[in-house]
Amino acid sequence: GLPGTDEMLTAGSQISAALATGSRGPRSRSWRSSGAQLVDFETYRPLLHWALHLPLLKIIEGYLGLPPAYDGPKVAYTPADGRQAGTRLWHRDREDRRMVKIAIYLTDVPESGGPLQCLKRQVYDGPPDRDFRYPVLTHAQLERRVGRPIHDDDIVSCVGLSGTVIFMDTARLYHRGKPAISASRSAIFHSYFSRTPRHPFFCERSDISRSELAHFAKDLSSVEQRDAVHWRDAIGWMRFAPRSVV
């Protein structure tokens, strides 16, 4: 119901279509491709406007307990090839102790269509805060880490129609995109964390560059929105740190 939702979905579908076309090339690595390499930055503006709505920022601040930073959008196209690789393996995001990722499906996503999944917290509540290890696990490796078999009722599988919106703490919970088999999946992801993240070198994994985000922020009227984009200013040395390549 937020203003600009239809425009965001339209723009996301355009970016996803470019990703899908690019994935058919002979040297394709489609699930790692960046939409920013295939479409103009202006196509992303509706995604940025939607992600910085003040009601969303307030929800995220309520969960984090701190003013949120916005890390930018990422559009993902997942071909129905059944591969278990990259974000289709079980993992936790390592930007911060807590974070929120909002996923918006651009296609209908059934159980066999690559839904976003997470392990229920009562099954495994994450390592101690001092643990800096972030393993990427196959399903069998996850079972060994948990110490027992993982059944379907141990997992939240986020199936849904096009337009479905999902909020998930991807730093706390083991999660993955289930390998798609019956249909390719397209989705938009928006990432948020605190303005002094635990691991700033692993931030900035969106499709948009720092300079493009800064250019966009000039037109924002709200201080809260501008501060969410310019979160690096809270840790000045971060302005000179390289973007994550992971």
Side-chain angles (χ1 to χ4, degrees):
L2 290 174
T5 297
D6 290 342
E7 290 81 356
M8 175 187 65
L9 294 174
T10 298
S13 296
Q14 181 180 343
I15 298 165
S16 175
L19 285 169
T21 299
S23 76
R24 290 191 282 270
R27 307 179 75 176
S28 166
R29 298 171 71 186
S30 58
W31 50 273
R32 287 186 177 176
S33 297
S34 169
Q37 299 169 357
L38 302 170
V39 298
D40 187 84
F41 163 72
E42 292 300 319
T43 309
Y44 278 87
R45 278 191 178 274
L47 280 66
L48 295 164
H49 279 297
W50 190 92
L52 289 164
H53 273 301
L54 291 178
L56 280 182
L57 295 180
K58 291 297 183 184
I59 290 171
I60 293 159
E61 182 173 356
Y63 177 72
L64 297 178
L66 293 166
Y70 175 55
D71 204 34
K74 191 167 190 65
V75 179
Y77 168 75
T78 305
D81 56 13
R83 291 183 60 191
Q84 296 189 50
T87 56
R88 300 183 189 186
L89 294 169
W90 292 102
H91 64 284
R92 295 186 303 123
D93 292 346
R94 50 187 169 177
E95 288 92 324
D96 209 350
R97 293 172 176 82
R98 283 190 176 197
M99 60 184 294
V100 175
K101 186 161 284 187
I102 301 178
I104 304 102
Y105 288 160
L106 297 170
T107 53
D108 293 347
V109 181
E111 190 64 45
S112 59
L116 181 62
Q117 295 184 318
C118 70
L119 192 64
K120 291 181 179 178
R121 181 167 292 180
Q122 56 265 38
V123 178
Y124 187 74
D125 197 24
D129 189 57
R130 64 181 179 274
D131 192 333
F132 281 80
R133 292 174 296 170
Y134 293 84
V136 177
L137 308 170
T138 65
H139 195 81
Q141 289 170 332
L142 180 68
E143 290 183 325
R144 288 196 291 272
R145 188 171 184 83
V146 172
R148 68 170 180 81
I150 301 297
H151 304 293
D152 288 345
D153 58 1
D154 295 322
I155 296 170
V156 177
S157 194
C158 301
V159 299
L161 300 176
S162 176
T164 295
V165 180
I166 301 155
F167 288 69
M168 184 180 292
D169 184 341
T170 53
R172 185 70 176 177
L173 300 173
Y174 272 104
H175 63 283
R176 69 172 182 174
K178 186 177 182 181
I181 299 171
S182 67
S184 299
R185 185 203 71 184
S186 296
I188 301 168
F189 294 91
H190 297 291
S191 294
Y192 309 81
F193 37 75
S194 75
R195 293 177 190 170
T196 53
R198 184 185 195 187
H199 297 140
F201 286 100
F202 294 118
C203 300
E204 299 182 285
R205 292 194 286 177
S206 81
D207 291 343
I208 302 301
S209 70
R210 285 186 196 176
S211 60
E212 288 169 332
L213 275 172
H215 177 72
F216 169 79
K218 292 178 181 178
D219 297 329
L220 296 173
S221 57
S222 163
V223 173
E224 292 92 336
Q225 292 172 318
R226 292 196 300 272
D227 286 348
V229 172
H230 291 299
W231 59 271
R232 296 168 206 82
D233 293 345
I235 41 176
W237 59 268
M238 180 58 194
R239 285 175 288 180
F240 305 100
R243 283 172 56 100
S244 170
V245 295
V246 179

